[in-house]
Structures are given as structure tokens and as C-alpha cells.
Amino acid sequence: MKGYFFAAPLVMSVALLPGCASSPAIDKTLLDAQLHFDRIKSDSNVLRSAPKDVVRAEETLNKAKQLSGYWGSDEDVRHFAYLSQRYSDIAREHASIRLQEEQATQLQLSLEHLQLQTREHELRLARERGDWLVDQLLSLGTARTERGLVMTLGDVLFSPGDTRLDPSASETVLKLAQFLRINPKREVRIEGYTDDQGDDELNQHLSKQRANAVANALSALGIDPGRLQTVGYGEDYPVASNDTTEHRARNRRVEVVFSDESGNFVPAR
Amino acid sequence: MNIQYIGMALMVMLAMAGCANAPAPVEQMKLTSQAIEQAREVGATEDSSDFSLAQAKLIQAQQAMREENYKMARVLAEQAELDARLAEAKAVSGKSQAHIEELNKQIKRLRKRLGEPE
């Protein structure tokens, strides 16, 4: 390369008359190329990103300068000055691409970190919402028992002798459905009970029907029926003796037993 | 005899062409076409003035080749190659910038979500 640069002006000096004055247009062209090169030559980022283009920008600039000393070489000077400018611009562009890539890598890391934070944040919110609903359910007559969370829907939620759910039950059932939606792994076993009045078999049937009514209301609210079991216990497992009207009313009930977060129940009675 | 004569005449003609003109910049023409193709592959279009310039100069260079004006062809092809390489770099840079802006947008969105009243 060195030899070529050395030889080029030598050969040309034979062919062309060496001159010292070049046209103002050529001076301007050379100056432009020089300015482009000056902007990149001391930029460590450019040198790091596109060393070859920087070297070529300098080589072509030097060639243009050398040629400018000879008459009749304007076209060549312009050509090499053009190439030099282009090499400078290309080098600068590659440097900015490199900076952009580094910036993108940093941003990608921040983004992934934020995504993780957001997931944790949302999980916490969901958990809080779940806890809040459990509190709500507890206030609606749910108790923590040895059978897990058990919600008791009292007699008042059914019209006497009727298996249809009373409209006043809708708020409770709505809360229940909301809770089940937020805890998709939890399942419920809906158990119906009666007092000891009347025919055993009929009571058993009635208790099962009432349990089904609650299950139907829940599935109407979009809860997968596969998560809802129903049992009718009739007059078994009274919560009070059947001696007074008041006590008998307490025995007529539906209990909703919740599974744990993984869908496991304490075994049924 | 006849064939030998024609062969010799051809060689003389080729030698004369070589003397009368700079060598044909066949390699450079190939390099320039490749540079333009590469720029197109990373998404440079005629909207880019550098890319249009590269294409126009390549066409002129091809014309000069046909006219056996090899000096002119080389000058045009060399310039077109660098025009194309600059167009390529700018196209890549434009894409990187768009990627950065997209990342920034996503980050802003997540920050907002995290900063919302709990």
C-alpha cells in the first residue's frame, strides 16, 4: 500500500505538469472531506467500531490531497475526496449502530427486570384480593373449621319447603363465585342438611336439591361445574338439637366446604 | 489456418483494447452490485437518497462498461459501492433506533403499571 502511494505521484509527475495552484472548488471539496474525517478521527467509539473504514477514509483523503498538486487531476481529486467523505460517514454510522446495540442490550435488561417486578406485583395484588375476599366470606358466615373453610348458607336463603334459592341469596352467591374465579384451583363441596321433621328419604332428597340449587347458581355465574360437588345429608349432622323451632331452623342449612389452594378437600363425612 | 488467424486477430484486438484503456473494472462492478443487494436486504429503499444514488451510479457505470469507458465505469462503481454501504448502515441504524424506541415504550408502560395506586 505504501509503495503504491509512493509510486502514484511519481508516475503522475511524469505524465502531468506539477502545479501548485488548484481551483477554489477543489479546495472546498478537499476541505469538506477533511472536515468529515476530522470529526471521526479522534472519536474513540468510531475507531473501535469501524477501524477499517477510518483507515480507508484517511488513505483516500491523502490520495486526494496528493493528486490536488497536479494539473488536470480535478476529477480524480473529487473522486477520492468523495470516497473519503463516504468512508467517514460510514464509519460514523457504524459507531452509532454499535452504541445503539449497547443501549438496546441495557434497555432489554431493564425491561426484563421490570417484567419480573410486574409479575410479582400482580401476584401480590391477586393474593391481597384473595385475602380480602376470604375476609368477606368470613363475614358472610364462613368459619375456619377442621373441615377447612366452611360457609354456612342459612335457612333464610331458601323459601320453606322450596329448593329454589331465595333472591336475597344472590349477594352471597355472587361473592362466592367471585372468590372461586380468583382462586381457580379451589373447588367446593356443597352439602345440604335438613331438620328432623318429616320423612327421612324426602329430607335427604330435599337437602340434595338445595345443594344442587346453589351449584346451579354458581355455574350460571360461570364457575366450571367440574369444581362443584353436591351432597345431601338429610337430617344427619345437626348443628343443634331439634327440640325448638329456632334450633331446627339452624339445622336447615347448606354448607359450602372449600378445598385448599391445590383442590384438596378434607375427606367428606 | 483460418481459425488460427482469427484467434490471432482477436488477441491483437484484446491487447490493443488493454493498451488504449484502463482495465475493465469487472471485480468492482460485482462488488458494487453486491453492496446494493446487501443494502436492500437490510431494508434500504429508494426513499433513501444514498440508496437511489448508488442505483443510479451503477446504471451509469454499466453504460460506461458497454461503451468501454472503463475509467468512468470504475469511478462510478466505486462511488456507488460506498453510497450503498452508507445506505445499508443508515438502514440498520434506523432499525436499531426503532427497536430502542419500542423498548423504551414498553418500559414506560410497565413503570406506569407498577406506579399505579395500589
Side-chain angles (χ1 to χ4, degrees):
Chain A
M1 213 48 175
K2 272 246 161 73
Y4 177 66
F5 277 122
F6 178 70
L10 205 72
V11 170
M12 293 202 184
S13 65
V14 178
L16 306 160
L17 279 170
C20 37
S22 46
S23 72
I26 287 296
D27 286 344
K28 169 94 171 54
T29 309
L30 276 176
L31 190 64
D32 277 351
Q34 182 73 54
L35 285 176
H36 273 72
F37 181 65
D38 287 346
R39 257 158 65 194
I40 59 151
K41 72 174 180 197
S42 49
D43 187 329
S44 63
N45 185 46
V46 176
L47 287 171
R48 187 172 61 121
S49 312
K52 282 185 189 163
D53 289 320
V54 175
V55 168
R56 284 181 194 130
E58 183 167 29
E59 283 172 0
T60 43
L61 180 61
N62 286 339
K63 206 162 172 184
K65 283 187 200 161
Q66 283 164 355
L67 288 170
S68 70
Y70 300 95
W71 290 110
S73 61
D74 283 10
E75 280 309 311
D76 289 327
V77 174
R78 226 174 259 129
H79 176 58
F80 284 108
Y82 186 88
L83 295 186
S84 174
Q85 250 190 53
R86 283 314 206 192
Y87 276 125
S88 295
D89 289 348
I90 290 167
R92 204 152 41 93
E93 211 59 50
H94 278 291
S96 78
I97 290 171
R98 180 150 174 168
L99 286 180
Q100 284 168 327
E101 278 166 357
E102 285 166 0
Q103 198 189 347
T105 309
Q106 281 303 314
L107 287 175
Q108 187 67 44
L109 280 176
S110 312
L111 181 63
E112 277 161 23
H113 180 69
L114 273 172
Q115 281 167 338
L116 200 72
Q117 271 189 312
T118 311
R119 260 198 300 281
E120 282 168 2
H121 176 75
E122 263 154 26
L123 222 64
R124 200 173 57 239
L125 277 186
R127 215 175 297 128
E128 276 165 13
R129 211 157 44 220
D131 288 349
W132 177 78
L133 268 167
V134 170
D135 289 348
Q136 290 270 301
L137 288 175
L138 284 171
S139 75
L140 283 169
T142 305
R144 292 182 197 275
T145 70
E146 69 278 6
R147 290 193 291 151
L149 272 179
V150 177
M151 180 185 201
T152 303
L153 305 179
D155 180 50
V156 291
L157 297 181
F158 294 93
S159 309
D162 199 339
T163 58
R164 276 172 305 168
L165 210 51
D166 195 86
S168 67
S170 58
E171 197 198 333
T172 310
V173 174
L174 216 60
K175 286 256 164 58
L176 192 52
Q178 217 177 349
F179 177 79
L180 289 174
R181 258 200 298 277
I182 288 173
N183 296 274
K185 291 258 172 71
R186 287 210 199 231
E187 298 180 2
V188 288
R189 189 172 62 234
I190 304 163
E191 307 172 338
Y193 299 90
T194 62
D195 58 24
D196 68 348
Q197 305 293 297
D199 178 63
D200 278 11
E201 217 172 293
L202 206 70
N203 279 341
Q204 202 279 325
H205 181 71
L206 183 67
S207 65
K208 172 79 173 170
Q209 288 294 98
R210 286 187 164 183
N212 283 342
V214 175
N216 290 340
L218 286 173
S219 65
L221 288 169
I223 305 300
D224 175 12
R227 297 168 61 196
L228 311 168
Q229 304 172 24
T230 54
V231 198
Y233 284 116
E235 49 196 75
D236 294 343
Y237 310 106
V239 288
S241 57
N242 283 298
D243 50 359
T244 63
T245 318
E246 204 179 307
H247 286 167
R248 279 195 293 276
R250 282 180 57 201
N251 284 335
R252 296 192 298 270
R253 70 202 189 274
V254 168
E255 289 181 2
V256 180
V257 181
F258 295 90
S259 76
D260 63 17
E261 274 105 351
S262 349
N264 300 314
F265 286 103
V266 173
R269 286 171 147 161
Chain B
M1 181 69 177
N2 223 351
I3 290 169
Q4 262 183 343
Y5 182 74
I6 292 169
M8 239 155 83
L10 263 174
M11 265 160 73
V12 169
M13 271 168 70
L14 277 175
M16 275 172 68
C19 281
N21 218 326
V26 178
E27 241 354 88
Q28 180 60 52
M29 293 296 288
K30 232 184 274 174
L31 277 176
T32 303
S33 300
Q34 280 167 4
I36 288 177
E37 220 28 68
Q38 218 169 304
R40 198 197 307 279
E41 270 165 30
V42 300
T45 63
E46 280 72 13
D47 295 341
S48 142
S49 59
D50 300 310
F51 190 65
S52 308
L53 211 54
Q55 282 181 314
K57 283 180 189 167
L58 177 64
I59 290 167
Q60 285 178 308
Q62 284 161 342
Q63 180 64 31
M65 285 289 271
R66 279 193 291 276
E67 288 162 4
E68 295 181 24
N69 188 349
Y70 296 140
K71 166 100 198 284
M72 165 96 80
R74 179 181 294 281
V75 164
L76 286 164
E78 280 179 359
Q79 293 188 3
E81 182 199 348
L82 295 197
D83 293 338
R85 283 193 49 205
L86 184 57
E88 180 198 348
K90 281 182 178 171
V92 171
S93 172
K95 273 189 191 167
S96 294
Q97 194 55 44
H99 183 217
I100 283 172
E101 274 156 30
E102 177 57 32
L103 285 173
N104 271 325
K105 220 189 292 172
Q106 287 183 31
I107 284 173
K108 211 172 142 193
R109 205 156 43 219
L110 285 184
R111 287 239 161 88
K112 201 173 154 199
R113 210 150 96 191
L114 279 171
E116 265 171 8
E118 302 189 16

